[in-house]
Amino acid sequence: MNNIEKQSTQPIAIAGNFIVQLKQIVQEARQKAYAAVNFAQVEANWLIGQQIVEQEQQGKKRADYGKQIIKLASEELTKEFGNGFSERTLRQFRQFYLMFPEVSNSANTVRQIQRTGFAESFGATFKFLSWSHIQRIMRVQNKDVREWYLKETAEQSWAFRTLDRNINSQYYERLLLSQNKKQVVQEMKEKTSDFQNDKLAFIKNPTVLEFLGLPANAGHIEKDLENAIITNLQLFLLELGKGFSFVARQQLVRTEAENYFIDLVFYNYILKCFVLIDIKTTKITHQDVGQMDMYIRMYDELKRNDGDNPTIGIVLCSETDHDIARYSVLHGNEQLFASKYKLYLPTEEELRRE
């Protein structure tokens, strides 16, 4: 290589190193932000759980005191800070504190505990764990297994989906039984590599968005086609004029196990029921129908009010050029659906034309 060629490649090499350093700075900054927000949320949830338990203990002579405290706290926190403080969620905060109550044995005052106690006791353990991690770990029944997953998740920086996959596949038990542990570990890393490389996992977490006071919006994962269909269908149903009232788009429904987003939610004030619509841009499957039935059960349990009729679900799928609509209603109300609901719900033909 002559001197001219050497000189021409030097700036490229220098620029390459320079860019690598810049990327490292940004990556480290994001990691710090991720850890800081996660830890702040986890600490706040533990402290809320602590306050609930201590308040319950003060009023333990009243049998229904605990329910009243959680209901009051949920109403006031939601009024002040928005979503993320349902009664179900506050009960999880309470469970979190009871599972990890070490700070409560400290001689510090409550104010000192709030300032330093949690960090001193749990800082290393929960430094890189999100609230979603902790929710999943709390569902592990065996205390020893639960603590092992907690330790491994923190030390190995497992993404939530990695943790969830490992628990579901009994990774801990398989490691104990296997004579070739390296092979089990290697298989796990290969099957979770995509989870570990998901750079957007942090901003996709609706619990973090709620904690920061931002709207939980699944728009960043919508495909353009799905987005267009949802927009047009929303307007179409409102134009039908058959009692439809728009409730939400990409509505978050949270269970103890998972977060779900329902494409469209309406309330029909003539039928006095919620109508859920799920959009699929592929051929309909049994899983699609099963998922809608699950949505209906969740909605009836978590959202339906006294006096509302059972929730209706509509699954819209595409097979070649023909749209397929499938209706679903549970609790043995098929006859009610056939005789009354069809008067006000769009027909399959109307949906196809739309």
Side-chain angles (χ1 to χ4, degrees), residues 237-238 240-246 266-275 307-310 312 336 339-346:
L237 288 173
L238 291 175
L240 282 177
K242 297 179 180 179
F244 281 97
S245 176
F246 178 66
F266 292 87
Y267 188 83
N268 191 295
Y269 56 83
I270 298 176
L271 300 174
K272 297 188 184 303
C273 72
F274 288 99
V275 179
D308 288 339
N309 285 317
I312 294 290
L336 175 63
S339 62
K340 182 179 180 182
Y341 285 12
K342 283 190 175 181
L343 296 175
Y344 300 101
L345 291 176

Side-chain angles (χ1 to χ4, degrees), residues 136 138 178 182 199 222 237 284 289 300 316 328 333:
R136 184 65 186 91
M138 286 196 301
S178 177
K182 288 184 178 180
K199 304 299 184 184
E222 292 178 3
L237 288 173
I284 195 168
V289 177
D300 278 348
L316 293 178
S328 181
N333 285 281

